[in-house]
Protein backbone atom coordinates (compact mmCIF):
# COMPACT_ATOMS: atom_id res chain seq x y z
CA UNK A 1 0.00 0.00 0.00
CA UNK A 2 1.42 3.40 -1.00
CA UNK A 3 0.63 6.30 1.28
CA UNK A 4 1.00 9.82 -0.08
CA UNK A 5 1.68 12.84 2.10
CA UNK A 6 0.98 16.36 0.92
CA UNK A 7 2.69 19.39 2.41
CA UNK A 8 0.99 22.77 2.55
CA UNK A 9 3.35 25.74 2.08
CA UNK A 10 2.72 28.98 3.93
CA UNK A 11 3.49 32.09 1.85
CA UNK A 12 4.58 30.45 -1.41
CA UNK A 13 7.40 32.16 -3.27
CA UNK A 14 5.26 32.48 -6.41
CA UNK A 15 2.94 34.83 -4.42
CA UNK A 16 -0.21 33.48 -6.08
CA UNK A 17 -2.64 34.42 -3.33
CA UNK A 18 -5.86 35.33 -5.11
CA UNK A 19 -6.91 31.81 -6.21
CA UNK A 20 -7.77 28.69 -4.22
CA UNK A 21 -4.98 26.11 -4.27
CA UNK A 22 -4.17 22.79 -2.61
CA UNK A 23 -0.41 23.16 -2.23
CA UNK A 24 -0.04 26.54 -0.51
CA UNK A 25 -1.77 29.28 1.43
CA UNK A 26 -0.85 32.94 1.83
CA UNK A 27 -1.20 34.73 5.15
CA UNK A 28 -3.74 37.02 3.47
CA UNK A 29 -5.95 33.94 2.88
CA UNK A 30 -6.14 33.24 6.62
CA UNK A 31 -8.87 34.59 8.88
CA UNK A 32 -8.45 36.18 12.29
CA UNK A 33 -9.77 34.07 15.18
CA UNK A 34 -10.76 37.21 17.06
CA UNK A 35 -12.80 40.26 16.02
CA UNK A 36 -11.04 43.00 14.06
CA UNK A 37 -11.49 46.68 14.96
CA UNK A 38 -13.98 48.09 12.42
CA UNK A 39 -11.79 51.16 12.04
CA UNK A 40 -9.07 48.92 10.52
CA UNK A 41 -11.55 47.87 7.84
CA UNK A 42 -12.55 51.37 6.71
CA UNK A 43 -11.93 52.05 3.03
CA UNK A 44 -9.52 54.93 3.58
CA UNK A 45 -6.90 54.81 6.35
CA UNK A 46 -5.87 57.98 8.16
CA UNK A 47 -2.26 57.53 7.04
CA UNK A 48 -0.96 55.63 4.01
CA UNK A 49 2.76 54.89 3.71
CA UNK A 50 4.53 53.26 0.76
CA UNK A 51 7.87 51.66 1.65
CA UNK A 52 9.89 50.32 -1.29
CA UNK A 53 13.06 48.51 -0.27
CA UNK A 54 16.09 47.53 -2.30
CA UNK A 55 19.87 47.14 -2.27
CA UNK A 56 22.44 49.67 -3.36
CA UNK A 57 25.46 48.03 -4.97
CA UNK A 58 28.85 49.65 -4.48
CA UNK A 59 31.73 49.70 -6.88
CA UNK A 60 34.94 48.85 -5.00
CA UNK A 61 36.48 52.25 -5.63
CA UNK A 62 33.43 53.91 -4.01
CA UNK A 63 33.48 51.62 -1.01
CA UNK A 64 37.15 51.66 -0.04
CA UNK A 65 37.87 55.37 0.13
CA UNK A 66 40.27 56.95 2.59
CA UNK A 67 38.82 58.23 5.88
CA UNK A 68 35.54 56.33 5.42
CA UNK A 69 34.04 53.27 7.05
CA UNK A 70 30.96 52.03 5.23
CA UNK A 71 29.05 49.00 6.45
CA UNK A 72 28.04 46.61 3.69
CA UNK A 73 27.14 43.00 2.99
CA UNK A 74 29.02 40.82 0.54
CA UNK A 75 26.17 39.08 -1.28
CA UNK A 76 26.49 35.49 -2.61
CA UNK A 77 27.33 36.77 -6.09
CA UNK A 78 30.18 38.89 -4.71
CA UNK A 79 28.37 42.25 -4.83
CA UNK A 80 28.96 44.73 -2.00
CA UNK A 81 25.50 45.94 -1.03
CA UNK A 82 23.74 48.34 1.33
CA UNK A 83 20.02 48.16 2.27
CA UNK A 84 17.68 51.05 1.51
CA UNK A 85 14.06 51.53 2.63
CA UNK A 86 12.43 54.39 0.73
CA UNK A 87 15.96 55.28 -0.46
CA UNK A 88 17.32 55.55 3.12
CA UNK A 89 19.74 53.28 4.96
CA UNK A 90 18.95 53.25 8.68
CA UNK A 91 21.62 54.59 11.03
CA UNK A 92 20.94 54.11 14.73
CA UNK A 93 20.92 57.30 16.84
CA UNK A 94 23.66 57.73 19.48
CA UNK A 95 21.13 57.48 22.35
CA UNK A 96 17.62 55.96 22.73
CA UNK A 97 14.86 58.36 21.58
CA UNK A 98 12.45 56.88 24.12
CA UNK A 99 14.34 58.26 27.12
CA UNK A 100 16.79 60.81 25.69
CA UNK A 101 14.98 62.35 22.71
CA UNK A 102 15.55 65.89 24.04
CA UNK A 103 19.31 65.32 23.75
CA UNK A 104 19.24 64.24 20.11
CA UNK A 105 19.62 66.70 17.26
CA UNK A 106 16.70 66.87 14.85
CA UNK A 107 19.29 66.71 12.04
CA UNK A 108 19.85 63.03 12.84
CA UNK A 109 16.33 62.06 11.77
CA UNK A 110 14.88 61.75 8.28
CA UNK A 111 12.23 60.04 6.19
CA UNK A 112 11.16 59.80 2.57
CA UNK A 113 9.65 63.31 2.68
CA UNK A 114 12.54 64.83 4.61
CA UNK A 115 15.90 63.52 3.47
CA UNK A 116 19.13 65.33 4.41
CA UNK A 117 20.25 67.96 1.93
CA UNK A 118 22.48 66.54 -0.80
CA UNK A 119 22.05 63.02 0.54
CA UNK A 120 24.02 60.61 -1.70
CA UNK A 121 22.71 57.43 -3.29
CA UNK A 122 23.66 55.57 -0.11
CA UNK A 123 21.74 58.04 2.08
CA UNK A 124 22.24 57.25 5.79
CA UNK A 125 20.31 58.73 8.71
CA UNK A 126 17.88 57.68 11.46
CA UNK A 127 14.83 56.86 9.35
CA UNK A 128 11.75 57.75 11.44
CA UNK A 129 8.12 58.13 10.40
CA UNK A 130 5.76 60.04 12.71
CA UNK A 131 2.11 58.93 12.94
CA UNK A 132 -0.61 60.35 15.20
CA UNK A 133 -1.71 58.34 18.22
CA UNK A 134 -4.80 56.17 17.54
CA UNK A 135 -4.65 56.79 13.78
CA UNK A 136 -5.36 53.97 11.31
CA UNK A 137 -2.15 53.39 9.36
CA UNK A 138 -1.76 51.46 6.11
CA UNK A 139 1.74 50.42 5.05
CA UNK A 140 2.49 49.05 1.58
CA UNK A 141 5.81 47.22 1.40
CA UNK A 142 7.19 46.93 -2.14
CA UNK A 143 10.03 44.52 -2.93
CA UNK A 144 12.44 46.22 -5.32
CA UNK A 145 15.25 43.79 -4.38
CA UNK A 146 13.59 41.10 -6.50
CA UNK A 147 16.05 38.37 -5.60
CA UNK A 148 14.74 35.01 -6.89
CA UNK A 149 13.63 32.61 -4.15
CA UNK A 150 14.01 35.23 -1.41
CA UNK A 151 11.14 36.82 0.54
CA UNK A 152 12.08 39.48 3.09
CA UNK A 153 10.35 38.98 6.50
CA UNK A 154 9.41 42.40 7.96
CA UNK A 155 8.84 42.58 11.72
CA UNK A 156 7.24 45.41 13.71
CA UNK A 157 7.94 45.87 17.42
CA UNK A 158 5.31 47.04 19.89
CA UNK A 159 2.13 46.41 17.95
CA UNK A 160 0.40 43.77 15.80
CA UNK A 161 -0.98 44.56 12.36
CA UNK A 162 -3.58 43.04 10.06
CA UNK A 163 -2.46 41.64 6.72
CA UNK A 164 -5.00 42.73 4.12
CA UNK A 165 -3.11 42.05 0.91
CA UNK A 166 -0.24 40.07 -0.63
CA UNK A 167 0.62 39.61 -4.27
CA UNK A 168 2.42 40.61 -7.42
CA UNK A 169 1.43 42.97 -10.18
CA UNK A 170 -1.58 41.78 -12.21
CA UNK A 171 0.01 43.44 -15.25
CA UNK A 172 1.89 40.59 -16.93
CA UNK A 173 3.84 43.09 -19.04
CA UNK A 174 5.56 44.34 -15.87
CA UNK A 175 8.60 42.18 -15.22
CA UNK A 176 9.77 44.03 -12.09
CA UNK A 177 7.59 45.95 -9.66
CA UNK A 178 8.74 49.30 -8.27
CA UNK A 179 7.29 52.16 -6.24
CA UNK A 180 5.94 54.02 -9.26
CA UNK A 181 4.09 50.95 -10.52
CA UNK A 182 2.74 50.12 -7.04
CA UNK A 183 1.37 53.66 -6.71
CA UNK A 184 -0.26 53.32 -10.13
CA UNK A 185 -1.86 49.99 -9.15
CA UNK A 186 -3.15 51.56 -5.95
CA UNK A 187 -4.73 54.48 -7.81
CA UNK A 188 -6.50 51.98 -10.07
CA UNK A 189 -7.66 49.82 -7.15
CA UNK A 190 -5.55 46.89 -8.35
CA UNK A 191 -3.57 46.22 -5.17
CA UNK A 192 -5.28 43.14 -3.78
CA UNK A 193 -6.99 43.81 -0.44
CA UNK A 194 -9.44 41.73 1.57
CA UNK A 195 -11.27 42.94 4.68
CA UNK A 196 -12.94 39.74 5.89
CA UNK A 197 -11.26 39.11 9.27
CA UNK A 198 -7.72 39.83 8.04
CA UNK A 199 -5.23 37.96 10.25
CA UNK A 200 -3.05 39.56 12.92
CA UNK A 201 0.73 39.29 12.52
CA UNK A 202 3.87 40.99 13.76
CA UNK A 203 6.09 39.53 10.99
CA UNK A 204 5.23 39.07 7.32
CA UNK A 205 7.28 37.77 4.40
CA UNK A 206 7.11 40.16 1.44
CA UNK A 207 7.11 38.07 -1.76
CA UNK A 208 10.01 38.74 -4.09
CA UNK A 209 8.98 41.13 -6.87
CA UNK A 210 5.71 41.64 -4.99
CA UNK A 211 3.99 43.64 -2.28
CA UNK A 212 2.27 43.35 1.09
CA UNK A 213 -0.46 45.65 2.44
CA UNK A 214 -0.84 45.86 6.23
CA UNK A 215 -3.11 47.92 8.50
CA UNK A 216 -2.69 48.82 12.15
CA UNK A 217 -4.22 51.05 14.79
CA UNK A 218 -1.43 53.19 16.21
CA UNK A 219 -2.58 52.93 19.81
CA UNK A 220 0.73 52.07 21.50
CA UNK A 221 2.82 55.27 21.79
CA UNK A 222 6.56 54.98 21.42
CA UNK A 223 9.45 54.50 19.03
CA UNK A 224 8.98 51.10 17.41
CA UNK A 225 11.55 49.46 15.16
CA UNK A 226 10.25 48.05 11.85
CA UNK A 227 12.84 45.95 10.06
CA UNK A 228 13.67 43.00 7.85
CA UNK A 229 14.34 40.02 10.13
CA UNK A 230 17.47 38.87 8.31
CA UNK A 231 20.16 39.97 10.75
CA UNK A 232 22.64 40.87 8.03
CA UNK A 233 20.00 43.08 6.36
CA UNK A 234 19.38 44.89 9.66
CA UNK A 235 23.11 45.56 9.97
CA UNK A 236 23.19 47.21 6.54
CA UNK A 237 20.18 49.42 7.12
CA UNK A 238 16.90 47.68 6.19
CA UNK A 239 15.09 49.24 9.16
CA UNK A 240 13.16 52.30 10.29
CA UNK A 241 11.40 53.66 13.37
CA UNK A 242 7.62 53.99 13.43
CA UNK A 243 7.09 56.83 15.93
CA UNK A 244 3.58 56.71 17.36
CA UNK A 245 2.24 59.76 19.17
CA UNK A 246 4.34 62.47 20.82
CA UNK A 247 6.56 62.72 23.90
CA UNK A 248 3.55 63.92 25.91
CA UNK A 249 1.80 60.59 25.19
CA UNK A 250 4.57 58.69 26.99
CA UNK A 251 5.04 58.21 30.73
CA UNK A 252 7.84 60.28 32.28
CA UNK A 253 11.33 58.81 32.37
CA UNK A 254 11.81 57.23 35.84
CA UNK A 255 14.24 58.93 38.24
CA UNK A 256 17.81 57.63 37.94
CA UNK A 257 16.89 55.73 34.77
CA UNK A 258 20.13 54.48 33.10
CA UNK A 259 21.39 56.78 30.36
CA UNK A 260 23.45 56.02 27.30
CA UNK A 261 27.06 56.31 28.49
CA UNK A 262 26.42 55.42 32.14
CA UNK A 263 28.17 52.08 31.67
CA UNK A 264 31.52 53.69 30.80
CA UNK A 265 34.14 53.08 33.48
CA UNK A 266 36.02 55.92 35.10
CA UNK A 267 39.30 56.49 33.30
CA UNK A 268 42.29 57.77 35.24
CA UNK A 269 45.67 58.58 33.76
CA UNK A 270 48.43 56.10 34.57
CA UNK A 271 50.70 57.03 37.46
CA UNK A 272 54.39 56.91 36.70
CA UNK A 273 56.84 57.13 39.65
CA UNK A 274 59.29 60.02 39.52
CA UNK A 275 62.95 58.97 39.61
Amino acid sequence: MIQWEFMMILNPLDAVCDVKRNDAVCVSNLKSAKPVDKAILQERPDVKIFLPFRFHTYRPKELFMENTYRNYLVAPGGDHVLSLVDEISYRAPPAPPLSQMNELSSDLFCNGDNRPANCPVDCRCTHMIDVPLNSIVEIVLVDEVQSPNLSHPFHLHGISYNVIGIGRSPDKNIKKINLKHALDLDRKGLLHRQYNLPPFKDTIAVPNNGYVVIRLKADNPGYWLFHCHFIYHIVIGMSLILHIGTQSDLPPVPPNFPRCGDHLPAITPPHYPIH
Side-chain angles (χ1 to χ4, degrees), residues 211-229:
Y211 64 87
V212 164
V213 185
I214 64 175
R215 289 267 183 101
L216 60 94
K217 185 173 184 179
D219 56 2
N220 190 9
Y223 299 84
W224 302 112
L225 199 62
F226 189 36
H227 61 87
C228 176
H229 226 299

Side-chain angles (χ1 to χ4, degrees), residues 53 83 85 141 150-157 161 202-206 225-235 237-240:
F53 57 92
S83 290
V85 179
L141 292 159
L150 178 63
S151 296
H152 294 257
F154 269 79
H155 172 61
L156 177 61
H157 292 232
Y161 49 74
D202 63 19
T203 306
I204 187 68
V206 183
L225 199 62
F226 189 36
H227 61 87
C228 176
H229 226 299
F230 293 137
I231 297 299
Y232 36 91
H233 291 178
I234 298 173
V235 171
M238 196 173 279
S239 308
L240 59 89

Side-chain angles (χ1 to χ4, degrees), residues 52-55 57 79 142-148 167-185 207-211:
F53 57 92
R54 68 178 182 89
F55 290 138
T57 304
D79 290 332
V142 183
D143 175 35
E144 294 185 339
V145 175
Q146 298 160 354
S147 235
R168 287 190 174 134
S169 173
D171 188 341
K172 302 306 178 186
N173 294 318
I174 298 296
K175 302 302 180 185
K176 292 186 177 182
I177 197 171
N178 57 27
L179 174 61
K180 183 177 182 298
H181 183 59
L183 288 167
D184 188 49
L185 290 175
N208 61 79
N209 198 22
Y211 64 87

Side-chain angles (χ1 to χ4, degrees), residues 90-104:
Y90 179 81
R91 175 180 285 164
L98 186 65
S99 56
Q100 294 177 237
M101 187 63 177
N102 62 331
E103 301 173 32
L104 298 174

Side-chain angles (χ1 to χ4, degrees), residues 98-168:
L98 186 65
S99 56
Q100 294 177 237
M101 187 63 177
N102 62 331
E103 301 173 32
L104 298 174
S105 170
S106 60
D107 293 339
L108 292 170
F109 298 93
C110 66
N111 53 51
D113 296 325
N114 183 30
R115 291 190 184 91
N118 303 316
C119 207
V121 289
D122 58 345
C123 188
R124 298 161 184 254
C125 45
T126 303
H127 191 171
M128 186 169 77
I129 299 174
D130 300 311
V131 298
L133 185 64
N134 292 319
S135 60
I136 301 301
V137 181
E138 180 176 284
I139 298 175
V140 183
L141 292 159
V142 183
D143 175 35
E144 294 185 339
V145 175
Q146 298 160 354
S147 235
N149 301 320
L150 178 63
S151 296
H152 294 257
F154 269 79
H155 172 61
L156 177 61
H157 292 232
I159 198 165
S160 296
Y161 49 74
N162 295 91
V163 180
I164 63 170
I166 296 178
R168 287 190 174 134

Side-chain angles (χ1 to χ4, degrees), residues 10-123:
L10 180 65
N11 277 354
L13 288 170
D14 61 17
V16 177
C17 301
D18 55 351
V19 297
K20 188 173 182 179
R21 50 194 294 183
N22 297 320
D23 62 331
V25 61
C26 295
V27 166
S28 58
N29 300 137
L30 303 176
K31 299 290 183 262
S32 172
K34 65 178 184 179
V36 178
D37 188 334
K38 290 183 179 179
I40 291 285
L41 308 178
Q42 64 191 26
E43 183 179 354
R44 294 182 181 275
D46 301 317
V47 180
K48 183 182 289 190
I49 303 165
F50 280 78
L51 293 177
F53 57 92
R54 68 178 182 89
F55 290 138
H56 168 70
T57 304
Y58 285 106
R59 292 176 297 173
K61 68 177 183 179
E62 297 171 328
L63 188 61
F64 303 109
M65 296 176 64
E66 290 185 2
N67 302 315
T68 64
Y69 183 82
R70 289 178 170 146
N71 56 314
Y72 62 92
L73 167 71
V74 181
D79 290 332
H80 298 69
V81 298
L82 184 77
S83 290
L84 299 169
V85 179
D86 204 8
E87 299 302 304
I88 295 167
S89 183
Y90 179 81
R91 175 180 285 164
L98 186 65
S99 56
Q100 294 177 237
M101 187 63 177
N102 62 331
E103 301 173 32
L104 298 174
S105 170
S106 60
D107 293 339
L108 292 170
F109 298 93
C110 66
N111 53 51
D113 296 325
N114 183 30
R115 291 190 184 91
N118 303 316
C119 207
V121 289
D122 58 345
C123 188

